[in-house]
Amino acid sequence: MRLCTLLRRLFSLLESIARASQSADTRSSTVYQQSQLLVLRVIAMGMFYHWHQIYASHGINSDKPLINLALNNPASGSADAADGDVDDEGADDNGAAAAAAAAASAYQPVGAGFNKGDFNLFYPGPLEEPVAKRAFGIAFEYFRSWISPHSVRLLADTVGNQSRFMFHLRSTHTSQSHPLSSSMMDIAVGTNMLQKFVRACINEPTADMGLEIQEAAGAIFMFVSATNWNIAMQRAKSCLYLVLSRGDEVADLTDIRFLEFATMDISRLAQIIDAFSDVFARVKPAEQLKMAIVLRRTIWGFIARCGGTFIDMHRKSYRPPTNRIEQLMDGLRAIIDSHARSSAHPAYYQLMVMLLMICPDTVSLAAEHAIEHGEAREDGCSKHVRCLARIHQHLTTRDVPEGIVLASQELQRVSAVLTVLPGNNVSRLSDMFEAELNSVLLDSGTRLAPYREEPIDPKLLLISNMACQFQLNPEKALQLFLPRVTSSKSEPWMQLVFVHAVSSALTQRYYLKSINEVAMFNKLVAKLFLDLLRRNVDTIQTISEQQAAGAGAQARSAGYGRRLQGYGSDGAVAGFGTAAR
């Protein structure tokens, strides 16, 4: 059955359930919500499995290819045929070989992924335009209905990811549900993915209905942006230019958050940067802030889904094909400099660093300037080259702005991605920042100056810091942090931070050598976790029972079209802060 035909049927089913739910009573509304989530998951996982089969036809994974690309060449001009034909009876060996040979000529690589070695990235053939637009529209409707209008203002992925930590903790005791897999690596090189995708579809939902619906809608965005980028780019430009027509009204820019999930390669990233630079200087400060947060997340989406290309950029020193990056950095620098007395919003510092990270030539000059000179000297270098040296100088002061810490952590995270390139300039800069960053976060009560409007719990910053250092140098990180966890004076919040940091580090896939392959790390962490469980088993059991009871009550009282109170992105962060204290 063709993918477009299947999608049309699923879209119709989803719309009929949504119509029926409008007249449902409170008791039935939860069932309708779960039914809509199930259909969204089936749509997303069907898209992903189709994409996975494209890679199977190329021989990139070991699954048997079921899509006969030989009969459906995207170059033939038929959008309907480009989906690929799935042979319900299975292809024989000769047919599979012919499909693989046709795929090699029909599909051209768009970049490189990374999984302890490079593999080429391929996009599926384009969906029919009406189907692609309908998919985008449905995903937008659910994404917009179940997201907090203020969630775009979350400062860092450390905060956004905390909702996922709490989600996993609650789902352990309330259901078998897990967030959908949206990793490009799983789609490309995963094995036995049909069974995994089916399990992801039928897992029982938790009380985190809003988060799960966002996951499913984001997965649909990811696929449709890969197949029909022209529609995604048109949506992005419409959102941006609509901001200019709002007059005195401040746009919430919720719709453009789909770029966080969009499938990016280096040329697409350049288009997004061009579009943002066209309007950034002409919008209101509140809108500039939201744009900065979205663009930063878009850059991280490119790194996560096109990691091999990002590594190659730093190996061969080239940048995205656009001359607008400096223009954006000039705008960010002007905003940061205008807040000399009161520190600028941390998002501006984060985006500034990320724009530098996609310009390896500038990073090379910045590393030479910061490491060899050790200060932000006015020696003829551009202000962008001096940026990292200025950030390091701020880390050495007594009251370190929260934005400086977050910018330094961006540098650390990029360094973790680039560990496959020994001695690269980002790693050299990260090593220079490491000691001061640890000092600030381990003494955050006296040295960290929170951003007054949106302070982040220092524990979240410490989790991110630990996780990055476990990836970069696990033995060195254990020598630093273990004494603070095993000491008789160690506080429970520090132990919780350590556990979350280890969990985060173990799930990362960018680095060359997984930390669970380090014998010392396995031995020490396993012993420590057993000790923590023995000392805290009564507390853990009490918290688990409370969370299970609370989540069940929330699920029973949920109404259609509402986010469940206390379980959105903002509520999860607040809940963690309370638990940690």
Side-chain angles (χ1 to χ4, degrees):
M1 179 182 291
R2 297 186 187 281
L3 179 62
C4 283
T5 304
L6 176 63
L7 291 178
R8 288 191 191 95
R9 295 180 181 179
L10 289 172
F11 293 157
S12 298
L13 175 61
L14 187 62
E15 290 166 350
S16 65
I17 297 174
R19 285 193 298 270
S21 67
Q22 294 174 2
S23 58
D25 56 26
T26 303
R27 182 183 297 273
S28 302
S29 64
T30 301
V31 177
Y32 281 111
Q33 291 170 16
Q34 294 177 356
S35 299
Q36 291 174 79
L37 174 61
L38 173 62
V39 178
L40 284 170
R41 285 173 169 176
V42 171
I43 292 171
M45 293 300 98
M47 290 174 167
F48 280 180
Y49 190 63
H50 175 84
W51 200 348
H52 177 72
Q53 283 294 310
I54 300 292
Y55 284 101
S57 298
H58 284 277
I60 293 176
N61 59 61
S62 59
D63 284 359
K64 185 177 181 180
L66 302 177
I67 296 179
N68 190 347
L69 297 177
L71 302 177
N72 298 279
N73 189 330
S76 65
S78 172
D80 186 41
D83 298 323
D85 223 353
V86 179
D87 185 354
D88 293 332
E89 298 179 356
D92 57 21
D93 294 338
N94 293 334
S105 59
Y107 287 82
Q108 297 300 318
V110 294
F114 183 74
N115 178 27
K116 298 183 179 179
D118 292 340
F119 59 89
N120 287 330
L121 299 179
F122 296 90
Y123 295 152
L127 296 174
E128 296 175 16
E129 189 164 328
V131 174
K133 289 183 176 179
R134 191 176 181 188
F136 244 94
I138 288 175
F140 264 115
E141 179 181 350
Y142 281 91
F143 194 79
R144 190 184 302 113
S145 299
W146 287 84
I147 194 170
S148 166
H150 300 294
S151 62
V152 74
R153 302 185 68 222
L154 290 176
L155 294 178
D157 282 340
T158 52
V159 179
N161 285 341
Q162 189 53 40
S163 64
R164 299 179 187 275
F165 284 131
M166 298 302 294
F167 173 83
H168 282 299
L169 188 59
R170 280 192 298 276
S171 67
T172 302
H173 307 291
T174 59
S175 78
Q176 298 301 312
S177 183
H178 298 281
L180 300 180
S181 169
S182 59
S183 167
M184 187 74 79
M185 186 180 69
D186 288 334
I187 294 172
V189 300
T191 57
N192 300 317
M193 293 308 295
L194 180 58
Q195 294 88 336
K196 295 177 183 178
F197 288 155
V198 170
R199 285 198 299 270
C201 290
I202 64 177
N203 281 331
E204 180 186 351
T206 69
D208 284 286
M209 190 70 71
L211 180 61
E212 296 197 52
I213 286 180
Q214 288 177 47
E215 286 274 345
I220 295 172
F221 285 140
M222 180 179 172
F223 182 85
V224 180
S225 65
T227 60
N228 297 72
W229 176 248
N230 59 322
I231 295 177
M233 193 65 209
Q234 183 180 1
R235 285 270 188 171
K237 288 184 176 180
S238 297
C239 291
L240 290 173
Y241 287 111
L242 183 62
V243 175
L244 297 176
S245 64
R246 287 299 184 99
D248 295 333
E249 183 182 356
V250 177
D252 65 21
L253 287 170
T254 298
D255 287 353
I256 205 170
R257 278 202 60 190
F258 83 88
L259 288 174
E260 179 181 344
F261 301 91
T263 301
M264 291 282 167
D265 55 49
I266 191 169
S267 62
R268 293 179 175 184
L269 180 61
Q271 293 177 47
I272 293 297
I273 290 174
D274 287 344
F276 271 72
S277 64
D278 283 341
V279 302
F280 186 78
R282 296 187 282 165
V283 299
K284 293 176 280 295
E287 294 162 344
Q288 287 180 326
L289 171 60
K290 295 171 183 178
M291 289 177 61
I293 294 173
V294 171
L295 182 55
R296 170 191 166 270
R297 289 175 172 173
T298 301
I299 295 173
W300 270 114
F302 161 72
I303 294 174
R305 300 184 181 98
C306 213
T309 298
F310 180 71
I311 292 168
D312 192 60
M313 287 166 59
H314 281 265
R315 181 186 291 117
K316 299 178 181 178
S317 191
Y318 63 92
R319 57 167 70 185
T322 174
N323 57 3
R324 300 288 190 87
I325 298 177
E326 280 78 9
Q327 180 180 334
L328 272 174
M329 287 196 288
D330 286 339
L332 292 171
R333 172 55 57 197
I335 294 171
I336 292 172
D337 290 344
S338 68
H339 292 77
R341 295 183 179 179
S342 60
S343 179
H345 195 287
Y348 295 123
Y349 293 96
Q350 290 180 300
L351 179 57
M352 188 73 178
V353 170
M354 292 311 301
L355 289 172
L356 284 169
M357 293 301 102
I358 59 175
C359 299
D361 52 338
T362 305
V363 171
S364 177
L365 296 174
E368 178 182 357
H369 184 87
I371 295 173
E372 296 187 7
H373 298 325
E375 57 183 0
R377 299 196 314 173
E378 302 290 338
D379 57 358
C381 294
S382 75
K383 53 190 173 184
H384 306 316
V385 169
R386 296 194 299 270
C387 173
L388 294 176
R390 292 179 62 182
I391 290 175
H392 183 256
Q393 279 187 329
H394 279 295
L395 277 178
T396 62
T397 60
R398 177 172 177 78
D399 296 321
V400 182
E402 192 172 76
I404 296 297
V405 172
L406 287 166
S408 303
Q409 289 191 329
E410 295 290 83
L411 187 68
Q412 271 195 330
R413 293 180 64 199
V414 174
S415 179
V417 177
L418 295 174
T419 51
V420 295
L421 299 178
N424 68 81
N425 290 310
V426 177
S427 296
R428 293 171 62 205
L429 286 165
S430 179
D431 291 342
M432 185 180 76
F433 280 52
E434 181 181 301
E436 292 296 341
L437 187 57
N438 288 335
S439 176
V440 171
L441 292 177
L442 291 173
D443 189 20
S444 59
T446 58
R447 292 201 58 193
L448 182 64
Y451 183 67
R452 63 186 184 279
E453 295 181 13
E454 287 184 276
I456 297 179
D457 191 330
K459 302 177 187 63
L460 302 182
L461 301 177
L462 189 55
I463 287 174
S464 178
N465 189 54
M466 282 188 184
C468 278
Q469 293 188 34
F470 285 148
Q471 296 166 38
L472 292 168
N473 192 333
E475 296 184 1
K476 181 180 177 181
L478 286 174
Q479 291 173 1
L480 174 64
F481 295 119
L482 266 183
R484 296 178 178 273
V485 179
T486 57
S487 168
S488 58
K489 298 181 179 179
S490 174
E491 298 183 30
W493 71 262
M494 185 65 183
Q495 297 169 2
L496 181 60
V497 163
F498 185 88
V499 169
H500 275 319
V502 172
S503 174
S504 177
L506 288 171
T507 59
Q508 297 300 316
R509 303 182 179 188
Y510 298 130
Y511 40 83
L512 177 64
K513 186 176 184 180
S514 175
I515 60 173
N516 59 14
E517 298 174 12
V518 180
M520 175 184 173
F521 187 89
N522 279 338
K523 182 178 180 180
L524 291 178
V525 170
K527 182 178 182 301
L528 172 64
F529 275 29
L530 286 174
D531 183 56
L532 291 178
L533 285 172
R534 291 191 193 101
R535 285 191 287 168
N536 298 284
V537 63
D538 293 337
T539 303
I540 292 172
Q541 183 175 359
T542 302
I543 293 175
S544 300
E545 292 172 353
Q546 291 174 350
Q547 288 173 336
Q554 289 282 356
R556 288 190 295 273
S557 63
Y560 176 74
R562 299 196 304 268
R563 283 197 319 133
L564 302 186
Q565 296 299 317
Y567 290 99
S569 53
D570 301 331
V573 175
F576 170 76
T578 302
R581 289 192 292 271

